[in-house]
Amino acid sequence: MTFAFARLHHVQLAIPAGGEDECRAFWGGVLGMTELEKPPVLAARGGCWFAGGGLEVHLGVEQDFAPARKAHPGILVDDLRGLAGTLDAAGVEVTWDDEFPGHDRFYAADPFGNRLEFLEPR
């Protein structure tokens, strides 16, 4: 084999047209991620990008949008319970699940219903 995977660069989630302000409120406001400037050729398509903790999340406009209710990013977190409290205070439902060996985890959803998994090693 002549190649090796280095790391995941970003995950992309779909959003409906005009959803950028809700993304900014959630990913930037609630989760505290930094919005990245999209290259002009990509900015023309709409959407927005965020970064934090070595993770990039790209939110892309999709025509005929439908939320991803099963497919999801699994995001490792330090202080999972602190994140759960932050999401709860923002009115985001947190659903705990103890079925992933060696980790505490919960599911939540972005403002458009896309599934998000947050987990922390025990």
Side-chain angles (χ1 to χ4, degrees):
M1 207 179 292
T2 61
F3 68 89
F5 295 113
R7 66 180 179 88
L8 187 65
H9 183 272
H10 68 274
V11 297
Q12 178 158 336
L13 298 173
I15 64 170
E20 291 85 356
D21 286 343
E22 288 177 81
C23 288
R24 290 180 179 103
F26 181 74
W27 294 97
V30 175
L31 296 180
M33 296 180 84
T34 301
E35 186 169 358
L36 302 173
E37 185 174 342
K38 290 181 69 173
V41 69
L42 298 177
R45 301 177 188 174
C48 44
W49 295 356
F50 293 87
L55 170 70
E56 284 191 27
V57 177
H58 296 183
L59 295 305
V61 173
E62 185 173 309
Q63 300 306 316
D64 301 322
F65 168 78
R69 299 195 188 279
K70 180 70 175 172
H72 61 274
I75 302 171
L76 288 171
V77 176
D78 291 328
D79 190 12
L80 187 66
R81 296 204 179 279
L83 173 58
T86 295
L87 289 169
D88 185 57
V92 177
E93 183 179 353
V94 169
T95 304
W96 289 92
D97 180 313
D98 62 358
E99 296 179 2
F100 196 89
H103 292 76
D104 292 322
R105 75 172 175 174
F106 66 78
Y107 293 99
D110 75 2
F112 311 108
N114 289 309
R115 186 181 199 186
L116 306 172
E117 177 182 350
F118 297 99
L119 57 164
E120 181 175 37
R122 287 192 193 112

